[in-house]
Amino acid sequence: MTKQVTVLGSTGSIGTQSLEVIRAQGYGVSGLAAHKNTALLARQIEEFHPRRVAVADEAAADELARQLQGLRDAPVLLRGVRGLAELAAAPDADIVLNAVVGIAGLPATLAAIESGRDVALANKESLVTGGRLVMEVVRRHGVKLLPVDSEHSAIFQCLQDVYAEKSLQKILLTASGGPFFGKTREELAAITKEDALRHPNWSMGRKITIDSATLMNKGLELIEAVWLFGLSPEQIQIVVQRQSVIHSMVQLTDHSILAQLGVPDMRIPIQYALTWPRRVHGPAPELDFTALRTLTFDVADEETFRCLAACKKAIRKGGLAPCAANGANEEAVRLFLEDRIPFLKIGELVEGVVESDSFGGEYTLDDVYECDAAARAYVLEHL
Ligand code: NDP
Ligand code: MG
């Protein structure tokens, strides 16, 4: 039987690359979901013939309904946040690839797992905001959570050897350092969104590109790694690797280090999440060491890039502190992209929210949404 994949966030950077991998592997597409981009979604429907589609924005859903009128074998159209979760739980997918951006991806991650589906997870915000809840349902339903994020895929790949997994001592989480590596706070004060949207090694969606510039992305990834690999934050060391060729490393108890390398191309980790545990030929090019020549290593500057320091503080505090950091960041990035706050303000707001409460203890899904809303309100009150 052909593997059936549902892609949530199919119109985005990861979503479109996932469809490239699916096309190359000859997999079937059981479902597609987007927020508003109905023009691209309609083209994807035409090519992949999913049985169901979901559109989060109501007006966009109406627009797609008009476009689908009269189409033979038109997919069932699901709407809104609930529609996305319904699609994620639909029975015909073997695996759900969640490439939605932000906390908006959390309900679909939970719905997919609760319906017994394996999840290929690009949406790191699911684990950052509701990590305990997500890992609980993963255990309860015995499904596989396969990382798509390149660093976490690298770590996962290094841990396929069961003896390596048992003797894992720490993770060396690599970071490109972003477009502003080496800059001082004074130099960062005047950064515009155009500067910040230019990433040296990866072409990605706007939100994660800003997160890479502030190093919030590395903070989110540290939290993601804590949940995925069951480690303490102290067991994760950030290593700046400017060429983005070493995608991360694991250190074992005998102090051996295993690494996964390759060109910076998200189709490699996307494909591994979909073909795991098999390795197959893929569309990404080879890494050419004769052209590469050097690999460099540096220390991340947490004094300048406060988002990273704030995320470390948040995961050490535990409870909903990472959720608050994420909510504040989503809101602050939105404001930065609207030219309403300067670049450095993003870090100040994320750090401010993490320090505003203790956030400790157990939580429910309702608590997650409440905390997210409170963090966003904090940002708007502290402009
Ligand atoms: P994009 O902004 O390119 O795409 C986001 C996708 O999510 C789009 O399909 C968008 O639909 C959809 N979407 C946005 N908001 C909602 C919503 N409220 N409800 C439902 N769907 C929504 O993001 P990326 O592809 O760059 O990133 C996706 C996720 O993957 C993020 O969590 C990111 O951190 C993670 N990731 C990305 C990497 C990359 O290289 N891009 C690398 C590693 C992780 P529409 O187009 O209609 O707006
Ligand atoms: Mg990453």
Side-chain angles (χ1 to χ4, degrees), residues 28-336:
V29 173
S30 37
L32 294 172
H35 185 218
K36 282 186 176 168
N37 188 349
T38 55
L40 180 53
L41 189 57
R43 289 202 297 280
Q44 294 177 342
I45 291 168
E46 213 173 299
E47 177 179 353
F48 293 101
H49 306 287
R51 188 178 292 181
R52 295 178 182 80
V53 295
V55 177
D57 181 81
E58 289 288 344
D62 291 340
E63 171 57 32
L64 185 69
R66 273 193 294 278
Q67 292 181 37
L68 294 180
Q69 254 171 23
L71 186 78
R72 261 202 317 136
D73 303 326
V76 175
L77 175 59
L78 305 163
R79 293 158 177 274
V81 178
R82 202 172 290 169
L84 214 72
E86 206 180 313
L87 174 66
D92 33 12
D94 296 306
I95 185 162
V96 174
L97 192 150
N98 188 349
V100 168
V101 61
I103 191 176
L106 174 63
T109 297
L110 291 170
I113 299 166
E114 279 163 356
S115 74
R117 247 134 282 288
D118 289 341
V119 172
L121 191 68
N123 178 255
K124 60 192 84 181
E125 295 91 343
S126 286
L127 282 173
V128 172
T129 57
R132 199 177 55 75
L133 303 177
V134 172
M135 296 317 289
E136 245 169 47
V137 289
V138 165
R139 270 190 296 275
R140 193 164 349 117
H141 294 273
V143 302
K144 253 333 234 186
L145 193 57
L146 296 144
V148 169
D149 213 346
S150 56
E151 295 77 3
H152 304 75
S153 173
I155 296 159
F156 181 63
Q157 292 182 50
C158 293
L159 296 178
Q160 289 305 301
D161 168 359
V162 61
Y163 296 103
E165 191 185 6
K166 275 191 190 145
S167 60
L168 177 63
Q169 190 179 51
K170 72 178 196 185
I171 282 173
L172 300 155
L173 186 73
T174 53
S176 74
F180 308 134
F181 178 75
K183 289 211 186 304
T184 61
R185 288 186 70 78
E186 291 65 41
E187 288 169 320
L188 291 180
I191 288 298
T192 64
K193 73 175 181 217
E194 286 74 24
D195 302 326
L197 283 170
R198 243 177 271 126
H199 193 278
N201 303 341
W202 299 96
S203 158
M204 311 177 282
R206 285 157 70 86
K207 190 255 180 188
I208 186 178
T209 304
I210 302 302
D211 289 349
S212 300
T214 59
L215 295 200
M216 183 71 189
N217 185 49
K218 215 41 62 181
L220 297 175
E221 289 185 353
L222 184 140
I223 299 167
E224 183 186 9
V226 164
W227 287 112
L228 276 174
F229 304 108
L231 299 178
S232 71
E234 290 71 28
Q235 286 173 287
I236 303 172
Q237 183 185 336
I238 312 254
V239 176
V240 175
Q241 206 292 288
R242 292 291 287 155
Q243 295 77 29
S244 296
V245 160
I246 301 181
H247 298 303
S248 275
M249 304 177 263
V250 298
Q251 181 175 310
L252 309 178
T253 40
D254 62 357
H255 293 176
S256 266
I257 293 173
L258 307 184
Q260 187 258 340
L261 285 72
V263 290
D265 187 322
M266 284 307 296
R267 292 173 301 182
I268 296 175
I270 291 168
Q271 175 172 305
Y272 190 64
L274 294 179
T275 65
W276 176 87
R278 288 184 309 127
R279 297 273 185 182
V280 297
H281 191 79
E286 274 182 38
L287 175 61
D288 178 1
F289 278 98
T290 61
L292 174 67
R293 296 195 172 265
T294 43
L295 286 172
T296 60
F297 302 95
D298 283 284
V299 175
D301 177 0
E302 289 176 34
E303 283 306 313
T304 304
F305 295 91
R306 298 306 295 163
C307 284
L308 178 55
C311 284
K312 279 195 178 171
K313 239 181 257 175
I315 188 69
R316 286 196 190 115
K317 274 192 171 185
L320 285 166
C323 174
N326 179 74
N329 180 62
E330 285 193 29
E331 199 64 13
V333 169
R334 184 180 65 79
L335 294 167
F336 174 69

Side-chain angles (χ1 to χ4, degrees), residues 314 316-322 357-363 367:
R316 286 196 190 115
K317 274 192 171 185
L320 285 166
D357 199 296
S358 63
F359 296 108
E362 300 278 294
Y363 56 83
D367 297 332

